[in-house]
């Protein structure tokens, strides 16, 4: 898939509805940042009034810090996941073909019971899988840090080098999994009959060999997203182009499945490819019968 053509066509879809789409696309990120900043504000107050030392922010020994972190995580999950699902639903109404277009108000999509149930369940599964995939990187990284703090001999240096290498490999595997999960909100909308868990598993298989597309789109729009003014515009273009790419990938898979089915059908009915000796044995068996 050519990124230039994908971007150009997605820009055409935004003509005449850029402002409304921008508001919808910025809401999930806004909810995520709001609770992140609220959590940081709580930590700043704790540090300012001397209730805890800075090192305790990373140790998890403070009950107040753990409570603030847990509350912020739950609130992010309950707000950002349904907003992302609703945004993906509205983008599907723009990028899908005419018979499949869905024109519903954003508030009506957001207030559905299935929106909360499916989006939050999928977000929980992706976070659990992400934490499980990140655990090897944490283990090897901690081992490397512990070995680096000591006076290294030949065996310690060898173990430290291997721990650093395995940490890098584990981080790359975790990032690859996170990229595979980027399609989960869009696939939840495209396949409403699939459960959230099956959608998460399907997303990993669906994005196999296609991870370069979201990475290339991110590389195109990242410079613009680093500015405050350009962030809403770039985020809207990025999400629209990625939603369009999901539709194209689904059509590709449907075409390949249809081609395989017809290919098997043609092979099963093509008697001209049966060898002559096998035909003679079949005819002799029929004559005996």
């Amino acid at each position: 898939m050519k990124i230039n053509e994908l971007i150009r066509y997605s820009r055409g879809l935004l003509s005449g509805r850029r402002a409304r789409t921008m508001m919808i696309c910025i809401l999930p990120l806004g909810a995520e940042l709001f609770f992140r900043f609220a959590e940081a504000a709580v930590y700043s107050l704790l540090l300012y009034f001397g209730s805890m030392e800075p090192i305790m922010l990373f140790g998890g020994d403070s009950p107040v810090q753990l409570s603030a972190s847990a509350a912020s995580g739950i609130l992010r999950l309950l707000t950002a996941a349904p907003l992302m699902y609703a945004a993906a639903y509205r983008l599907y109404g723009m990028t899908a073909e005419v018979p499949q277009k869905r024109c519903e108000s954003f508030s009506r999509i957001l207030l559905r019971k299935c929106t909360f149930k499916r989006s939050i369940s999928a977000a929980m599964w992706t976070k659990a899988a992400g934490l499980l995939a990140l655990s090897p990187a944490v283990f090897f990284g901690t081992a490397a840090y512990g070995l680096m703090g000591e006076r290294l001999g030949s065996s310690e240096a060898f173990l430290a080098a291997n721990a650093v290498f395995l940490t890098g490999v584990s981080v790359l595997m975790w990032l690859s999994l996170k990229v595979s999960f980027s399609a989960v909100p869009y696939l939840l909308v495209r396949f409403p009959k699939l459960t959230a868990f099956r959608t998460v598993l399907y997303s990993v298989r669906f994005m196999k060999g296609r991870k370069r597309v979201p990475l290339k789109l991110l590389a195109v729009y990242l410079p613009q997203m680093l500015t405050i003014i350009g962030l809403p515009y770039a985020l809207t273009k990025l999400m629209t182009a990625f939603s369009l790419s999901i539709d194209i990938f689904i059509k590709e898979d449907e075409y390949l499945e249809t081609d395989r089915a017809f290919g098997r059908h043609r092979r099963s009915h093509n008697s001209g490819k049966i060898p002559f000796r096998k035909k003679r044995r079949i005819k002799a068996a029929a004559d005996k019968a």
Side-chain angles (χ1 to χ4, degrees), residues 19-20 69 71 81 85 98 132 141 150 154-156 172 176 179 187 190 212 217 220 227 229 233 236 249 284:
R20 288 177 297 174
S69 178
Y85 179 90
V98 176
L132 186 63
E150 302 175 357
S154 58
S155 58
E156 288 81 3
L172 290 177
S176 176
V179 175
L187 295 177
R190 269 67 168 185
R212 290 177 294 178
L217 290 173
V220 171
T227 61
I229 299 176
Y233 298 94
T236 303
F249 291 151

Side-chain angles (χ1 to χ4, degrees), residues 111-187:
L111 294 177
R112 284 179 176 175
K113 183 179 179 181
C114 64
T115 298
F116 285 90
K117 182 179 178 181
R118 287 171 57 79
S119 61
I120 293 173
S121 178
M124 291 177 64
W125 282 114
T126 53
K127 287 185 180 298
L131 290 174
L132 186 63
L134 188 60
S135 56
V138 174
F139 173 77
F140 291 121
T142 305
Y145 179 78
L147 291 171
M148 290 292 185
E150 302 175 357
R151 188 174 180 179
L152 297 180
S154 58
S155 58
E156 288 81 3
F158 176 76
L159 291 174
N162 280 275
V164 171
F165 174 76
L166 291 174
T167 301
V169 172
S170 302
V171 169
L172 290 177
M173 293 177 63
W174 174 73
L175 290 175
S176 176
L177 185 65
K178 295 294 286 184
V179 175
S180 299
F181 288 157
S182 61
V184 169
Y186 303 91
L187 295 177

Side-chain angles (χ1 to χ4, degrees), residues 118 187-203 205:
R118 287 171 57 79
L187 295 177
L188 284 173
V189 176
R190 269 67 168 185
F191 302 101
K193 294 183 179 180
L194 282 180
T195 62
F197 178 70
R198 288 182 176 273
T199 304
V200 171
L201 294 180
Y202 176 65
S203 177
R205 181 167 57 90

